[in-house]
Short mmCIF file of all heavy atoms in Angstrom, two decimals:
data_model
loop_
_atom_site.label_atom_id
_atom_site.label_comp_id
_atom_site.label_asym_id
_atom_site.label_seq_id
_atom_site.Cartn_x
_atom_site.Cartn_y
_atom_site.Cartn_z
N SER A 49 41.02 27.34 -7.88
CA SER A 49 40.16 26.75 -6.85
C SER A 49 40.64 27.24 -5.49
O SER A 49 41.77 27.76 -5.37
CB SER A 49 40.25 25.23 -6.95
OG SER A 49 41.56 24.82 -6.57
N GLU A 60 54.11 31.55 -1.53
CA GLU A 60 54.54 32.95 -1.47
C GLU A 60 55.10 33.29 -0.11
O GLU A 60 56.10 33.99 0.02
CB GLU A 60 53.36 33.86 -1.78
CG GLU A 60 53.74 35.36 -1.67
CD GLU A 60 52.53 36.28 -1.65
OE1 GLU A 60 51.58 36.00 -0.90
OE2 GLU A 60 52.59 37.29 -2.34
N LEU A 70 55.13 21.59 2.25
CA LEU A 70 53.90 22.21 1.76
C LEU A 70 52.72 21.27 1.91
O LEU A 70 51.65 21.70 2.34
CB LEU A 70 54.08 22.57 0.24
CG LEU A 70 52.83 23.11 -0.46
CD1 LEU A 70 52.32 24.38 0.21
CD2 LEU A 70 53.12 23.32 -1.92
N ARG A 96 59.83 24.57 -9.58
CA ARG A 96 60.47 23.68 -8.62
C ARG A 96 61.96 23.75 -8.90
O ARG A 96 62.39 23.52 -10.02
CB ARG A 96 60.00 22.23 -8.84
CG ARG A 96 58.53 22.02 -8.58
CD ARG A 96 58.13 20.62 -8.97
NE ARG A 96 56.71 20.44 -8.76
CZ ARG A 96 55.97 19.55 -9.38
NH1 ARG A 96 56.49 18.74 -10.25
NH2 ARG A 96 54.69 19.44 -9.12
N ALA A 113 54.76 35.49 -13.09
CA ALA A 113 53.36 35.33 -13.43
C ALA A 113 52.56 34.88 -12.20
O ALA A 113 51.43 35.32 -12.00
CB ALA A 113 53.19 34.34 -14.58
N ARG A 123 43.14 40.16 -4.03
CA ARG A 123 42.16 41.26 -4.04
C ARG A 123 40.74 40.67 -4.15
O ARG A 123 39.82 41.09 -3.44
CB ARG A 123 42.44 42.24 -5.18
CG ARG A 123 43.65 43.12 -4.92
CD ARG A 123 43.79 44.25 -5.93
NE ARG A 123 44.01 43.78 -7.29
CZ ARG A 123 45.20 43.50 -7.83
NH1 ARG A 123 46.30 43.64 -7.12
NH2 ARG A 123 45.30 43.11 -9.08
N LEU A 148 35.61 27.74 14.71
CA LEU A 148 35.93 26.66 13.74
C LEU A 148 37.32 26.09 13.95
O LEU A 148 37.52 24.89 13.83
CB LEU A 148 35.73 27.16 12.32
CG LEU A 148 34.29 27.45 11.91
CD1 LEU A 148 34.24 28.13 10.54
CD2 LEU A 148 33.46 26.18 11.91
N ARG A 153 41.75 21.74 16.69
CA ARG A 153 42.98 22.27 17.28
C ARG A 153 43.87 21.13 17.80
O ARG A 153 45.04 21.10 17.59
CB ARG A 153 42.69 23.25 18.38
CG ARG A 153 43.96 23.84 18.97
CD ARG A 153 43.70 25.06 19.75
NE ARG A 153 43.31 26.10 18.79
CZ ARG A 153 42.43 27.07 19.05
NH1 ARG A 153 41.85 27.13 20.18
NH2 ARG A 153 42.12 27.95 18.14
N ARG A 155 43.90 18.02 16.92
CA ARG A 155 44.06 16.92 15.97
C ARG A 155 45.07 17.21 14.87
O ARG A 155 45.16 16.52 13.91
CB ARG A 155 42.71 16.58 15.35
CG ARG A 155 41.76 16.00 16.38
CD ARG A 155 40.37 15.88 15.78
NE ARG A 155 39.41 15.45 16.78
CZ ARG A 155 38.75 16.26 17.61
NH1 ARG A 155 39.00 17.55 17.59
NH2 ARG A 155 37.89 15.81 18.46
#
Side-chain angles (χ1 to χ4, degrees):
S49 66
E60 178 193 45
L70 175 59
R96 297 174 182 156
R123 287 190 296 273
L148 291 172
R153 181 164 292 147
R155 293 171 185 86

